[in-house]
């Protein structure tokens, strides 16, 4: 998460072209080392699977990439190819090849290993030095020259938004994949969530407009007014945004043009898939095959089934690496101010990991209970100033991340799928060796560390019912809810094997199956808590008149 997630995105890129990106503090080569190692591993495994030479394997992988990336890949090969080919041909381990290139270092006294080696540390250092002398310096690439949009993003608002209403007609770069699609990007008073009559124009983009000639009433008034129409906004972290790196990208046997076809879109979405997430999912996962499979159910998709008037009324403000101290700023990026005459909102604060997660090997950087309480309280006070009356706030606690190690430890990571030689224990230890784990506390082979992390997470979670209790009845414009440990309870009832809940590449985030399951669980919890009221009895009439409005 956070900078770590930016690194993981870079990993995905590096798999293709061995480029490096500027990242925060790490040791032993950090991201550059991970990138290089993954790339070399894929080249070696492609040689093995296809029985081809190193240079053929490298050109083959370059040829799978889209547009500019394919060109950059070929350019990179001109410099790198001849230097590293002899070592790859000789079957040197990817870790050793990347150490020789200077991408992996031994700042802490020893090199980090993703793959097993039978060399001693001394032999390894000697071998690496000999190889380095003959390879020479290696040039790095800048991610921003290839995917400039990503580097121009300074906030979490749509990059393409002509009327500045925070809604876009373009899907990526915080557009309609993240927030309901704008149905008029030239008029700032036309946007999803508006509370309007829509006699002539669909001012809230839910597809319902015009006048019923019999009654003289507008359809919006006739079928939506008084039905409890409500929008949903999720302010959270990478789990809210549905972070995912397609495992095909790290599985040599599956590399192809098809699996990289959506590479640029994935990067423009910060490697997040909000359009398939538990909170604001609204597309079918089948549209993104072969890079994602599984069901799609979200709180938003169920809210639309509940009331067709809610169509397009969603906002995903999930940000990789965010923690509770970010909530107050995310409030300002919400498009929901009662001054603009908008419908009520179900706003979810869902920071489920980063307050106890980082790459640092310490408990000291974790959020304290008082900081946790104060950050959420401050964000709520700000939200009460702008949210429309009748809104709801749901507080989601941190997940018990011990499920990650307990479930994944001995399973094989996609990068080890060719030879069954990399387990998640090795993968987690490898990231920790370079201080770039998204979560040292959970992704750790030391059980005491994992249990202590849970003690701290529990002490934070205990603040939520306290906060609800302390403030209930004091909010002017919303009701506040703590619906229990949503993620943990959803996990307990998950009907398939537990590993299917977890993203294969990062071994950290909820999978597509996990997202759909959590989305359904949260909808049911929201319904049970009385937040929603009855279904809109006009749904069938709306569908008959205006169509099903699937997707966008
Ligand atoms: Ca409308």
């Amino acid at each position: 998460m956070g900078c770590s997630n930016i690194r993981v995105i870079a990993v995905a890129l590096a798999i293709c072209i061995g480029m490096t990106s500027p990242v925060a503090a790490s040791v032993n080569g950090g991201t550059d080392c991970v990138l290089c190692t993954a790339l070399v591993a894929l080249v070696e495994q492609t040689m093995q699977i296809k029985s081809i030479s190193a240079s053929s394997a490298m050109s083959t992988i370059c040829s799978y990439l889209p547009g500019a990336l394919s060109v950059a890949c070929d350019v990179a090969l001109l410099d790198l190819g001849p230097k590293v080919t002899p070592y790859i041909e000789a079957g040197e381990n990817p870790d050793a090849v990347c150490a020789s290139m200077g991408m992996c270092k031994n700042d802490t006294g020893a090199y980090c290993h993703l793959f097993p080696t039978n060399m001693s540390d001394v032999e390894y250092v000697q071998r690496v030095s000999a190889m380095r002398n003959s390879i020479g310096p290696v040039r790095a690439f800048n991610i921003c020259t290839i995917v400039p949009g990503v580097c121009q993003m300074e906030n979490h608002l749509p990059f393409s938004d002509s009327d500045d209403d925070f809604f876009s007609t373009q899907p990526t770069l915080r557009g309609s994949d993240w927030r309901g699609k704008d149905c008029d990007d030239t008029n700032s008073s036309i946007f999803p969530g508006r509370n309007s009559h829509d006699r002539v124009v669909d001012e809230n983009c839910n597809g319902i407009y015009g006048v019923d000639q019999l009654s003289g009433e507008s359809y919006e008034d006739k079928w939506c007014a008084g039905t409890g129409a409500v929008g949903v906004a999720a302010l959270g972290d990478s789990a809210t945004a549905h972070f995912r790196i397609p495992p095909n990208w790290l599985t040599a046997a599956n590399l192809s043009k098809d699996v990289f076809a959506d590479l640029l879109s994935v990067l423009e979405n910060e490697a997040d898939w909000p359009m398939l997430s538990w909170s604001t999912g609204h597309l079918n996962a089948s549209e993104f095959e072969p890079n994602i499979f599984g069901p799609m159910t979200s709180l938003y998709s169920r809210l639309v089934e509940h009331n067709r008037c809610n169509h397009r009324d969603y906002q995903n403000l999930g940000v990789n690496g965010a923690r509770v101290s970010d909530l107050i700023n995310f409030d300002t990026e919400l498009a929901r101010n009662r001054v603009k005459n908008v419908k009520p909102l179900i706003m979810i604060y869902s920071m489920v990991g980063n307050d106890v997660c980082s790459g640092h090997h310490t408990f000291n950087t974790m959020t304290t209970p008082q900081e946790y309480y104060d950050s959420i309280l401050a964000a709520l006070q700000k939200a009460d100033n702008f949210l429309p009356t009748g809104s709801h706030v749901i507080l989601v606690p941190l997940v018990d991340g011990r499920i990650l190690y307990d479930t994944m430890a001995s399973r094989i990571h996609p990068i080890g799928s060719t030879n069954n030689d990399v387990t998640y224990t090795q993968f987690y230890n490898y990231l920790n060796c370079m201080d770039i784990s998204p979560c040292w506390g959970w992704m750790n082979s030391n059980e005491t560390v994992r249990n202590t992390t849970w003690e701290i997470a529990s002490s934070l979670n205990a603040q939520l019912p306290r906060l609800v209790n302390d403030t209930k009845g004091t909010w002017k414009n919303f009701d506040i809810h703590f619906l229990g440990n949503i993620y943990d309870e959803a996990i307990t009832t998950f009907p398939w094997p537990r590993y299917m809940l977890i993203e294969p590449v990062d071994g950290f985030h909820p999978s597509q199956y996990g997202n759909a399951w959590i989305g359904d669980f949260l909808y049911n919890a929201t319904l049970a808590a009385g937040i929603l009221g009855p279904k809109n009895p006009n749904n069938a009439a709306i569908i008959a008149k205006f169509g099903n409005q699937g997707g966008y």
Side-chain angles (χ1 to χ4, degrees):
M1 300 192 177
C3 293
S4 309
N5 260 358
I6 292 167
R7 292 177 195 129
V8 180
I9 295 170
V11 170
L13 270 176
I15 290 154
C16 327
I17 54 178
M19 73 168 96
T20 64
S21 64
V23 288
S26 60
V27 295
N28 297 332
T31 316
D32 294 349
C33 174
V34 176
L35 303 181
C36 176
T37 305
L39 173 67
V40 171
L42 287 176
V43 170
E44 293 190 351
Q45 293 172 22
T46 300
M47 292 165 62
Q48 180 188 340
I49 290 167
K50 294 186 185 294
S51 298
I52 55 178
S53 68
S55 58
S56 300
M58 288 189 263
S59 330
T60 302
I61 293 172
C62 283
S63 76
Y64 293 152
L65 302 179
L69 289 171
S70 186
V71 174
C73 186
D74 285 332
V75 170
L77 276 190
L78 288 177
D79 177 47
L80 276 179
K83 291 175 177 171
V84 299
T85 300
Y87 300 100
I88 295 178
E89 291 279 10
E92 291 287 354
N93 166 316
D95 295 304
V97 173
C98 293
S100 310
M101 291 163 68
M103 295 290 192
C104 302
K105 300 180 169 63
N106 57 350
D107 308 327
T108 59
Y111 288 100
C112 306
H113 296 279
L114 181 59
F115 292 88
T117 174
N118 48 20
M119 279 185 267
S120 71
D121 278 357
V122 174
E123 288 168 336
Y124 191 83
V125 169
Q126 286 170 348
R127 181 77 192 119
V128 163
S129 310
M131 284 165 63
R132 177 177 302 168
N133 288 337
S134 65
I135 287 179
V138 170
R139 221 160 12 113
F141 293 83
N142 187 337
I143 182 175
C144 298
T145 60
I146 294 165
V147 199
V150 173
C151 301
Q152 289 164 20
M153 295 294 282
E154 287 168 359
N155 50 36
H156 314 105
L157 302 175
F159 184 65
S160 164
D161 178 16
S162 308
D163 56 10
D164 291 326
D165 62 4
F166 292 10
F167 294 95
S168 178
T169 56
Q170 301 301 312
T172 61
L173 297 169
R174 295 271 164 185
S176 60
D177 283 344
W178 302 78
R179 300 164 184 249
K181 190 178 184 180
D182 201 348
C183 49
D184 185 344
D185 201 25
T186 63
N187 186 336
S188 63
S189 61
I190 295 179
F191 57 87
R194 189 157 181 224
N195 191 18
S196 49
H197 301 289
D198 296 6
R199 295 185 68 88
V200 181
V201 175
D202 185 11
E203 295 181 353
N204 53 22
C205 303
N206 65 1
I208 301 164
Y209 67 99
V211 173
D212 176 13
Q213 295 303 329
L214 283 178
S215 64
E217 208 180 2
S218 77
Y219 289 111
E220 185 78 33
D221 287 342
K222 181 179 176 182
W223 287 336
C224 295
T227 63
V230 67
V232 61
L235 284 64
D237 48 29
S238 52
T240 296
H242 192 356
F243 185 88
R244 170 181 170 89
I245 292 175
N248 282 335
W249 296 0
L250 286 171
T251 307
N254 295 352
L255 298 181
S256 72
K257 249 185 159 30
D258 276 357
V259 307
F260 289 117
D262 59 358
L263 178 62
L264 292 173
S265 302
V266 172
L267 294 172
E268 287 175 351
N269 274 341
E270 304 157 42
D272 295 322
W273 304 67
M275 61 292 200
L276 302 175
S277 68
W278 60 262
S279 56
T280 61
H282 54 275
L283 299 180
N284 288 326
S286 59
E287 291 182 35
F288 302 92
E289 290 175 7
N291 277 339
I292 198 158
F293 292 92
M296 198 296 293
T297 306
S298 66
L299 178 58
Y300 166 73
S301 76
R302 298 300 298 268
L303 284 176
V304 173
E305 287 167 17
H306 195 82
N307 187 338
R308 306 305 300 187
C309 301
N310 297 335
H311 181 56
R312 288 198 202 183
D313 198 355
Y314 61 88
Q315 300 180 55
N316 189 310
L317 272 150
V319 176
N320 301 340
R323 43 166 71 191
V324 289
S325 54
D326 293 305
L327 285 170
I328 195 162
N329 292 326
F330 294 177
D331 278 354
T332 64
E333 298 181 323
L334 257 182
R336 205 65 162 207
N337 194 313
R338 62 173 173 271
V339 170
K340 295 191 81 174
N341 192 17
V342 288
K343 295 182 183 182
L345 186 69
I346 295 175
M347 184 174 77
I348 305 165
Y349 282 171
S350 181
M351 295 296 182
V352 302
N354 297 309
D355 288 280
V356 296
C357 283
S358 80
H360 302 297
H361 296 219
T362 174
F363 301 104
N364 298 332
T365 54
M366 297 180 183
T367 304
T368 67
Q370 192 64 49
E371 288 165 350
Y372 188 78
Y373 185 100
D374 292 345
S375 290
I376 297 173
L377 181 63
L380 288 168
Q381 285 166 340
K382 188 166 189 173
D384 201 30
N385 290 328
F386 62 80
L387 282 180
T389 305
S391 294
H392 294 269
V393 176
I394 298 173
L395 304 178
V396 178
L398 289 110
V399 179
D400 181 353
R402 291 177 299 181
I403 182 182
L404 300 171
Y405 193 85
D406 291 348
T407 305
M408 304 302 276
S410 60
R411 296 186 61 82
I412 298 290
H413 189 274
I415 198 69
S417 59
T418 305
N419 298 306
N420 287 334
D421 54 359
V422 179
T423 63
Y424 282 89
T425 300
Q426 287 162 255
F427 172 68
Y428 293 158
N429 288 342
Y430 177 69
L431 296 181
N432 284 330
C433 175
M434 285 179 290
D435 289 4
I436 60 167
S437 174
C439 197
W440 168 82
W442 299 135
M443 298 157 76
N444 199 307
S445 51
N446 182 330
E447 188 180 4
T448 307
V449 169
R450 302 196 303 271
N451 285 338
T452 304
T453 302
W454 176 235
E455 281 172 31
I456 295 171
S458 299
S459 73
L460 303 185
N461 287 348
Q463 303 309 307
L464 296 182
R466 202 187 130 216
L467 205 157
V468 168
N469 216 32
D470 291 353
T471 64
K472 204 145 196 149
T474 68
W475 303 109
K476 293 190 299 286
N477 295 304
F478 58 77
D479 284 339
I480 187 164
H481 309 271
F482 173 70
L483 303 180
N485 293 25
I486 296 295
Y487 274 62
D488 292 345
E489 289 169 27
I491 288 166
T492 309
T493 57
F494 188 66
W496 297 290
R498 287 243 167 133
Y499 76 87
M500 289 177 66
L501 278 164
I502 299 166
E503 271 300 314
V505 168
D506 57 57
F508 184 44
H509 293 98
S511 65
Q512 186 59 44
Y513 277 85
N515 270 270
W517 193 254
I518 292 163
D520 201 49
F521 188 92
L522 180 57
Y523 168 75
N524 287 323
T526 306
L527 201 58
I531 295 172
L532 297 181
K535 276 195 167 192
N536 185 347
N538 308 314
N539 284 340
I542 294 169
I543 292 169
K545 171 80 183 165
F546 295 105
N548 203 358
Q549 306 291 345
Y552 285 132

